[in-house]
Amino acid sequence: KKKKKKKKKKKKKKKKNILASCAGLEVSRNPSLMANAEGRILRADLAVTFGERVFYIDFSLRSPFVENPPRDATSHITRAVEQKKQKYDALCQQMQAEFVPFIMSSTGSLSEEAVEFLAILAALIAKNSAISYGRALADVKRFVIQPVLRRLAQDIMIAQNSVIRRHQGRQQPLPA
């Protein structure tokens, strides 16, 4: 039995990110940034390093329907980008790193910064893997956007469950 358990543990080794290894990238989750003006240590969602270039990425899902009625199709994305840049941009500049506010709308739109980062990533993969840019972009979408959507969906479910628990037993309807 012990031998079987050891074999299972070996199989559960942390899988290396295929996309990152193809592009020669180092990827880490929830990296700590330096303390901000208030002395709080900020964390990005992802750090991606390629040679001397370092990107700190913060993911967020936003809905255009928070405003009733919505101003336009992308104002919620623009506002979210401004908020993220206000929080992280100065720290990243001090660290000589690039900040990517990776904002996705619940309607499927991405921030310009997210689209640009995906294009840079696809170009790096195409160059280092000797595959076409189109193929590299498809891989980026599969390995980057799908996991981001899964993670954001999990976060939404956690938030919804929290609201439901707070309102259990109350006579008032749940907020829309």
Side-chain angles (χ1 to χ4, degrees):
K1 288 182 181 179
K2 289 181 183 180
K3 289 181 183 179
K4 288 181 183 179
K5 286 181 183 178
K6 285 182 183 179
K7 286 181 182 178
K8 286 181 183 179
K9 285 182 183 179
K10 287 181 183 179
K11 287 181 184 179
K12 288 186 179 182
K13 266 188 175 178
K14 196 174 186 178
K15 292 180 184 177
K16 193 170 186 177
N17 186 317
I18 296 167
L19 189 66
S21 62
C22 286
L25 304 172
E26 286 183 38
V27 179
S28 60
R29 292 183 181 175
N30 299 317
S32 296
L33 298 166
M34 298 178 348
N36 65 4
E38 293 87 40
R40 285 187 1 192
I41 294 177
L42 297 177
R43 291 190 183 278
D45 292 319
L46 208 60
V48 177
T49 305
F50 178 74
E52 297 295 316
R53 230 170 151 179
V54 179
F55 299 91
Y56 286 100
I57 302 149
D58 194 67
F59 297 101
S60 187
L61 177 66
R62 300 295 172 101
S63 172
F65 306 110
V66 171
E67 294 177 350
N68 194 6
R71 275 191 242 160
D72 61 48
T74 60
S75 63
H76 64 293
I77 293 174
T78 304
R79 210 170 30 264
V81 166
E82 290 168 3
Q83 291 169 347
K84 296 290 183 183
K85 282 184 175 180
Q86 186 176 9
K87 185 175 180 181
Y88 292 102
D89 226 13
L91 281 175
C92 287
Q93 286 177 6
Q94 287 175 8
M95 298 169 65
Q96 297 179 341
E98 298 175 57
F99 174 65
V100 180
F102 200 105
I103 311 299
M104 181 177 281
S105 173
S106 59
T107 61
S109 301
L110 291 174
S111 62
E112 288 178 27
E113 293 82 353
V115 171
E116 183 180 321
F117 175 71
L118 294 175
I120 290 168
L121 194 57
L124 290 171
I125 292 167
K127 179 181 174 186
N128 292 335
S129 304
I131 60 173
S132 72
Y133 175 79
R135 171 67 195 271
L137 190 57
D139 288 347
V140 166
K141 289 178 181 177
R142 188 173 78 236
F143 287 110
V144 175
I145 294 183
Q146 288 177 354
V148 167
L149 286 174
R150 275 195 300 274
R151 169 70 192 274
L152 293 174
Q154 290 170 348
D155 290 348
I156 290 168
M157 292 300 295
I158 290 168
Q160 286 176 336
N161 289 337
S162 174
V163 169
I164 290 168
R165 279 194 299 276
R166 281 195 310 249
H167 284 82
Q168 282 179 338
R170 295 184 184 180
Q171 298 296 325
Q172 302 169 353
L174 288 173

